[in-house]
Amino acid sequence: EIVVTQARELDRLISDLLDAAQIDANRLSLERGEVDLVAVSRDVLETLKSVTAEHLELEAPEAPVVGQWDRLRLAQILRNLVSNALKYSPDDGVVRVAVIDLGSRVQIAVTDQGIGIAPDVLPRLFGRFYRAETVKEDRLPGLGLGLYITRSLVEAHRSEEHTSELQSHLNLVCRLLLE
């Protein structure tokens, strides 16, 4: 079991490095198609629930929210945001994913009950190789590429992301065009 876990972590790190190299070389490509964001969100949360004891909640419309997106990259955005929220949440915390139909756009909001981010850190949060100074390497391994890649994927979808503090908890939001 330990070997499998370590192999998955190594695979994720290599994938992140390759994605970062593609982003830096301006070679990141998307394979757009008709995608239901609600279904992708459910799939990502179900997968994450199978590997974590954390409490995950999805707030989404009953009806599909369909747009022209890259399904795999959209799942990667969600996985990165939720995984990041899980890393910094207490064991009994709740991570919420909200899918909100805004008409010509759809909003994905990931909110956690974690340690929060200092306001002066927010501008650097999506930077390449950025890790908060409070991160303990042994407890929260990583390269600091997840949110950098997430930002680039959101931008590649011609959309936007932003962060905000809610009572010392982080709220990560991205808005996607319903093309």
Side-chain angles (χ1 to χ4, degrees), residues 33-47 49 57-71 74-75 78 82 97-102 105-109 176 178:
E34 194 170 279
V35 177
D36 176 9
L37 178 59
V38 174
V40 171
S41 300
R42 282 192 186 110
D43 291 347
V44 167
L45 291 186
E46 286 304 313
T47 299
K49 282 179 182 178
E57 293 181 358
L58 175 63
E59 298 171 21
E62 291 293 321
V65 177
V66 178
Q68 291 295 313
W69 303 304
D70 182 319
R71 180 178 177 74
L74 194 56
L78 282 160
V82 174
V97 175
V99 176
I100 305 160
D101 190 344
L102 302 173
R105 292 181 182 265
V106 62
Q107 177 172 296
I108 304 167
L176 302 169
L178 288 170

Side-chain angles (χ1 to χ4, degrees), residues 121-176:
V121 171
L122 289 176
R124 296 176 286 167
L125 190 61
F126 289 90
R128 185 171 50 142
F129 297 115
Y130 180 76
R131 305 266 337 248
E133 293 174 14
T134 56
V135 171
K136 292 186 172 74
E137 287 296 324
D138 58 335
R139 181 171 176 256
L140 302 171
L143 296 174
L145 289 173
L147 292 180
Y148 169 72
I149 292 167
T150 297
R151 174 185 222 159
S152 299
L153 292 174
V154 169
E155 289 172 350
H157 279 90
R158 292 192 350 227
S159 301
E160 60 191 40
E161 96 296 320
H162 75 272
T163 58
S164 63
E165 282 289 324
L166 294 175
Q167 303 164 358
S168 82
H169 305 301
L170 191 61
N171 185 35
L172 296 168
V173 176
C174 67
R175 291 185 185 99
L176 302 169

Side-chain angles (χ1 to χ4, degrees), residues 1-76:
E1 185 176 318
I2 293 172
V3 172
V4 171
T5 301
Q6 293 297 321
R8 280 190 197 127
E9 183 65 19
L10 183 59
D11 181 56
R12 190 189 61 75
L13 292 173
I14 291 169
S15 293
D16 283 354
L17 285 169
L18 291 172
D19 283 344
Q22 284 183 332
I23 291 164
D24 291 345
N26 229 8
R27 294 182 177 259
L28 183 68
S29 63
L30 299 178
E31 294 183 27
R32 291 178 185 269
E34 194 170 279
V35 177
D36 176 9
L37 178 59
V38 174
V40 171
S41 300
R42 282 192 186 110
D43 291 347
V44 167
L45 291 186
E46 286 304 313
T47 299
L48 290 172
K49 282 179 182 178
S50 71
V51 296
T52 183
E54 308 292 329
H55 190 66
L56 300 171
E57 293 181 358
L58 175 63
E59 298 171 21
E62 291 293 321
V65 177
V66 178
Q68 291 295 313
W69 303 304
D70 182 319
R71 180 178 177 74
L72 293 177
R73 295 300 192 171
L74 194 56
Q76 185 178 6

